[in-house]
Amino acid sequence: MKLAGWGRYPVLEARKLAPRSVEALRQLVVSEPSLIARGNGRAYGDSAINSSATIQMRHLNRMIAFDPASGQLVAEAGVLLGDIIAAFLPRGWFPMVTPGTKFVTLGGAIAADVHGKNHHLDGSFRCCVDWIDVMGPDGETRRCSLEDDAPLFDHTLGGMGLTGIILRAGIRLSKVETAWIRQTTIATPNLKAAMNAFEAAQDATYSVAWIDCLGTGGNLGRSLVMLGEHAIRADLSPRQAQAPFAIKPKRKLSVPIDFPAFALNSFTVRAFNALYYWAGARKTDTQLVDWDSYFYPLDAILGWNRIYGRKGFAQFQCALPLEQSEPGLTALLSEIANTGSGSFLAVLKRFGKQDSAFSFPMEGYTLALDFPVTPKTLALLDRLDQITIAHGGRFYLAKDSRMTSATLRASDTRAAEFQAHRDGQGFTSRFRSAQSERLAL
Amino acid sequence: MTKLPVLILGARSDIGKALAHNFAALGHPVQLAARKASSLEADKTDMELRHRVSVSLHEFDALATNSHEAFVAELPELPQIAVCAVGLMGEQAENERDVAAAARVMRSNYEGPASILALLANRFEERGSGTIVGISSVAGDRGRATNYVYGSAKAGFTAFLSGLRNRLAKRGVHVVTVVPGFVATQMTKGMDLPAKLTAEPNEVADAIARAVERKKDAIYVRPIWRLIMLIIRNIPERIFKGMSI
C-alpha cells in the first residue's frame, strides 16, 4: 500500500504489518530482512517507512502501571500522548515534555526525542524517560537506562527507531494543579527584539514564538513571543476552580479536501501573517488558555496537512548554536522573504542545553517552517540547508523528507559515530527506513 | 452515582475491546468474556489504569451452549448492558466444501450468540431493565455468493434480535441491532476494503455507545450502508442472481 508521513511527501509503496503481540512482533524482527517501526505516522517525511516491512505499532498500546508517588507511568510504545493526557490530566498529571501534537505515540516521541515549549528549562523528551525496553535484531528485549546499557539508551533517544523496536518505556509525568495555562503574548517588531524577549524569559516554563517569515527590512523576523505557566487553582474563576481539570469539549474541525495549489501563495500568507501579528499585538495581556488550545492548536483541525494540497509539503527545521543564531536566523529569514515562499506555520524557539548521542536540539535557537512541495520551494530548502550548515546548525530528522546524506554529515558530525554504533551492534542491516537509506545511516 | 456493569461477549475481538474501553471511559465497570480470558490480563490492567473502573475476566465459549446457564449464574453481578461481539467469518470456499466448517460459522454467528443473549434477556426481563446489543452484519441483509454461509447466520441473528426486541419492548428491556458495515479488524485483515465504507473499531464502539444512550433499535455505523443495503435488497432476484457483488 501507499505510505507517507504527515507531510504527505514522499509517498512510497510499502508493506505494512501490524503485529498484535510482542511474540508476533518478535517473529517479524527475526524473520524480516529489514524493517522499521511506525507509530502514528506524525513524522513528516519518510522516517517510518520501510518498503519491505513497516511495522505498525498501534496494537501494542497498553498502559501497564502507574506509581502516584513518583509519577512514573509504564506503557507500551503505541500509546498516544493524547491517551496519557486523557487518563492522567484529570488526576493532576501532565507529560513533562510534549511536542506540538498529542497524536504522537510514546515510541515515536522517544525515537525522535521530541522537544516542547519548555526545552530551554527541562530539555528534550529524554528528561522524562526512566528506561526503555528495546527489541534488538536477535528478537531479544533489553531494558536500557542511564545506568544500564547507557549506550543503547543514548542512541535510542533521537535514534529514529534505528536501534531496534521500542516496545515500552517508563516515563515520569509532572504534577499540575489545573488544566489551564496562563499565557502572556509579547509582540516583537523584529528578530532582535524577539530574541531579546526569549533571553529575558529564560525562567518562563514555556516559551515559543510564531514568526512572520515574509517580513522584510525593519519587519524581518517580527514575532509574537508566547510565554506560558501552568495555572494554579487561585488563577481560575470560581466556576473553573470547581472542576480545575474540566475543559469544555471543542468542536473538531477537519479539512475534508485537498486545497488546490493556488490557495496558498505569498499573498494569502502575507495577508494572514499581517492579520495574525496585529491581532496578537492587540492582546498582549495575560490570558487563561486551556491545555488543548495552548499545546495543540493544530490538533483541533484534523487533517490540516491537506491545506498544502495533494503534492504535500516539506518541513524545514534547523537548530543553530547560540552564538550563530542571530546571523543565521537573519540569513535564513532574508532568503525566505526574498523567495516569497511563505509558510503559515513558522515557529521560533530558544533551546536550552542538550547532551545526547544523536538528538536534534542544541543550545541556541530553532526555526521551523513548512512549504508546499514545488520545484521552487525544494530549491529554496537546499539553500536554507547551506545557510544552516554555514552557521554550524543541524536538522531535525523527524521533519526531514529530502536532505541528502552529504548535507546530514556536513551539519552533524555525530552522524558518523551513530552509524558506527549501528554497524557495531548489527542494527544497520535490520532496522532501516527510507530515510536511513537516503541518509546512508 | 455508580454506574452498572457492562458485559462484553467476545471481548478479544477488536470491536469488543474498543467497546470495553468506551464503556469504561463512561465510568461503567466492565466484564470481559471470551475464550482464553486470561490472555486479556494486560487489557484489564490497561482499562483499569486508564478509566479507573473495575474490570473482571470471565471464561466464555459461545459454542459451548451447555455452559451458558452456568456462565450467567456465575457472573458476579447481572450487567446493565450486554453486548455480543462474537463472530466468525471463516473462508467461504471452505464453508462450501466442508460441512463441519460451515456448521462452525453458522453456530458462531447465530446459535451461540442467540443462546447466550436469550438467557441474559430472560434475566433482564425478570429484573425489568437492561439493554442487549447484538452485532450483526450487512452480509445478513441479502445472501451473496461470496459469503452466504456467514451471511445466512447473520440473517438469522438479525431476525432473532428483532424478535427479541419486539417481545421485550414492553418489559423495560431494550435490544439494539448493530450493522457495522466493513470494519478494519482482525477478521477483515488482508481484505481489500474501500476506505470510505470501512470503519475503525472505535468508530463502531462510539456508534454503539450512542445507540444505547439514545435507545436506537437498529443502526448502521456509517449511514451510507443503509442506502447501499436498501439498493442491494431491492435488486430483483432475476437480475441479482447473475451479478457478482
Side-chain angles (χ1 to χ4, degrees), chain A residues 20 58 61-63 91, chain B residues 14 43 46 49-50 200:
Chain A
R20 285 167 183 273
R58 59 189 291 200
N61 67 342
R62 299 184 194 91
M63 298 189 189
R91 285 170 247 188
Chain B
D14 289 319
D43 294 285
D46 179 40
L49 257 176
R50 285 183 196 232
E200 287 295 321

Side-chain angles (χ1 to χ4, degrees), chain A residues 61-72:
Chain A
N61 67 342
R62 299 184 194 91
M63 298 189 189
I64 298 165
F66 180 69
D67 175 8
S70 63
Q72 190 198 56

Side-chain angles (χ1 to χ4, degrees), chain A residues 74-324:
Chain A
V74 177
E76 291 181 325
V79 165
L80 295 180
L81 236 43
D83 296 340
I84 296 176
I85 296 169
F88 290 99
L89 183 57
R91 285 170 247 188
W93 298 94
F94 197 75
M96 237 180 221
V97 171
T98 173
T101 170
K102 59 184 177 294
F103 299 128
V104 294
T105 60
L106 177 58
I110 290 170
D113 195 8
V114 295
H115 54 269
K117 298 174 183 182
N118 57 339
H119 186 278
H120 60 289
L121 284 186
D122 300 322
S124 59
F125 198 75
R126 171 187 177 102
C127 78
C128 71
V129 180
D130 287 337
W131 53 262
I132 312 168
D133 277 352
V134 186
M135 186 181 281
D138 53 359
E140 297 298 313
T141 300
R142 292 170 189 79
R143 179 159 299 185
C144 61
S145 65
L146 278 179
E147 289 78 38
D148 295 311
D149 205 345
L152 181 60
F153 185 74
D154 232 20
H155 290 85
T156 297
L157 281 151
M160 301 306 290
L162 300 172
T163 62
I165 310 270
I166 299 167
L167 278 187
R168 52 184 94 80
I171 63 163
R172 266 165 303 114
L173 307 179
S174 333
K175 199 96 192 116
V176 293
E177 254 185 58
T178 74
W180 298 84
I181 299 291
R182 274 188 295 123
Q183 176 176 271
T184 308
T185 306
I186 306 166
T188 55
N190 55 43
L191 179 65
K192 182 74 196 156
M195 292 177 73
N196 287 340
F198 272 114
E199 298 303 324
Q202 283 286 47
D203 295 335
T205 305
Y206 298 110
S207 66
V208 69
W210 165 85
I211 185 165
D212 177 359
C213 55
L214 288 180
T216 50
N219 284 337
L220 185 83
R222 74 174 165 182
S223 303
L224 297 173
V225 180
M226 295 173 247
L227 310 179
E229 298 295 336
H230 284 286
I232 56 171
R233 262 167 219 246
D235 296 327
L236 304 187
S237 71
R239 208 168 54 97
Q240 290 167 337
Q242 280 179 358
F245 297 109
I247 301 293
K248 245 194 297 184
K250 279 186 276 290
R251 225 166 69 103
K252 289 262 182 259
L253 302 171
S254 67
V255 179
I257 52 156
D258 297 331
F259 278 30
F262 62 80
L264 206 72
N265 56 48
S266 65
F267 299 105
T268 53
V269 174
R270 219 178 280 277
F272 171 83
N273 285 359
L275 274 173
Y276 192 80
Y277 179 79
W278 290 112
R282 283 222 322 272
K283 44 175 187 190
T284 49
D285 49 340
T286 300
Q287 298 175 301
L288 270 186
V289 182
D290 70 80
W291 65 273
D292 209 6
S293 314
Y294 181 78
F295 289 103
Y296 314 110
L298 284 172
D299 285 355
I301 310 167
L302 300 173
W304 65 261
N305 50 348
R306 303 183 76 160
I307 70 167
Y308 287 96
R310 197 176 304 171
K311 289 194 181 124
F313 67 103
Q315 262 264 350
F316 172 84
Q317 185 169 357
C318 68
L320 294 165
L322 197 51
E323 68 279 7
Q324 287 290 320

